Amino acid sequence: ETGVTQTPRHLVMGMTNKKSLKCEQHLGHNAMYWYKQSAKKPLELMFVYSLEERVENNSVPSRFSPECPNSSHLFLHLHTLQPEDSALYLCASSQAPQSSYEQYFGPGTRLTVT
Amino acid sequence: GENVEQHPSTLSVQEGDSAVIKCTYSDSASNYFPWYKQELGKGPQLIIDIRSNVGEKKDQRIAVTLNKTAKHFSLHITETQPEDSAVYFCAARQNTGNQFYFGTGTSLTVIP
């Protein structure tokens, strides 16, 4: 596997379910990001981990809970979601922010909340 | 914070013609400007970027120009091909901090 991978690619869940999204990067980066992509809106940054420490949390509801166990893996734990949370969730990675700029994205997880 | 605006939201061109997508930004501290291409069912892919110390960068049929004074930058695709059809996003970022600010995207259709 190369680049940034995400699983699952598609997820349908009810509002009372608990599920997790997984991201893995094979680029040797040490910063990872979660974005939400909704139609007709700019990408919304949700969380940033740099060197496995959360450094950004953009007022995301607590029903979204990130976890970064190491520099290669990132999870987004979901519980009691709302229908408006349906979107494409994108993971990205980059090298430590102050030393490089390029950010690489995974293919995304298409989430539908019913 | 930074505000990035992107135009047009949709663009259709004939195969072989050129396509231009424009973005403006508000924060003069922004100094890195990437462009991403997103095909259906895929994540955004970095296609070209420019830093604030240069005014233009070219990679085969793709070029990006930056006007720091006016705070705008543009993506130019020449000799367009059907496989260029996708959604294109611009973004801006400062030297410090972790956040990229994205435009709302341009859906480009190249008509064979």
Side-chain angles (χ1 to χ4, degrees):
Chain A
E1 292 269 25
T2 58
V4 181
T5 58
Q6 290 185 244
T7 56
R9 294 294 310 277
H10 300 272
L11 178 62
V12 179
M13 59 186 289
M15 295 190 332
T16 58
N17 291 157
K18 288 186 179 181
K19 296 286 184 182
S20 295
L21 310 185
K22 179 183 176 182
C23 175
E24 186 172 356
Q25 60 92 5
H26 309 269
L27 300 168
H29 290 162
N30 53 17
M32 297 186 77
Y33 309 72
W34 278 118
Y35 286 90
K36 177 183 179 181
Q37 186 176 35
S38 305
K40 310 291 185 187
K41 294 174 71 173
L43 270 69
E44 299 174 52
L45 179 65
M46 301 175 72
F47 302 103
V48 181
Y49 277 83
S50 180
L51 301 173
E52 300 162 38
E53 181 181 336
R54 190 191 308 181
V55 295
E56 295 263 359
N57 179 352
N58 286 2
S59 302
V60 178
S62 59
R63 56 186 184 268
F64 295 91
S65 175
E67 179 189 0
C68 187
N70 55 61
S71 60
S72 299
H73 294 85
L74 184 66
F75 295 89
L76 187 63
H77 304 299
L78 317 171
H79 63 97
T80 60
L81 294 192
Q82 304 298 311
E84 59 264 29
D85 296 323
S86 299
L88 182 69
Y89 288 84
L90 291 162
C91 173
S93 72
S94 69
Q95 193 54 2
Q98 274 73 33
S99 64
S100 183
Y101 299 105
E102 293 86 358
Q103 188 173 87
Y104 295 88
F105 285 86
T109 294
R110 173 67 62 185
L111 174 67
T112 303
V113 181
T114 61
Chain B
E2 176 64 278
N3 179 44
V4 177
E5 295 189 359
Q6 182 172 348
H7 300 280
S9 58
T10 59
L11 179 61
S12 292
V13 299
Q14 290 292 136
E15 182 177 358
D17 287 351
S18 295
V20 180
I21 303 170
K22 298 181 179 181
C23 286
T24 60
Y25 62 100
S26 60
D27 191 341
S28 57
S30 292
N31 63 354
Y32 174 65
F33 307 93
W35 285 91
Y36 290 87
K37 174 184 181 182
Q38 188 173 22
E39 297 176 90
L40 200 61
K42 297 183 179 180
Q45 178 187 9
L46 178 68
I47 56 172
I48 195 167
D49 56 14
I50 191 167
R51 290 172 171 77
S52 59
N53 58 346
V54 298
E56 183 174 358
K57 183 176 179 181
K58 190 172 182 181
D59 183 3
Q60 299 182 341
R61 297 186 296 109
I62 296 173
V64 56
T65 58
L66 171 65
N67 183 328
K68 287 175 56 180
T69 303
K71 297 197 190 73
H72 66 72
F73 56 111
S74 300
L75 178 71
H76 305 254
I77 306 174
T78 58
E79 301 171 27
T80 53
Q81 301 168 3
E83 52 265 38
D84 294 330
S85 297
V87 178
Y88 292 81
F89 292 93
C90 64
R93 184 192 152 166
Q94 298 174 12
N95 187 42
T96 57
N98 305 283
Q99 188 150 351
F100 286 76
Y101 297 86
F102 287 85
T104 48
T106 296
S107 178
L108 173 65
T109 302
V110 179
I111 304 165

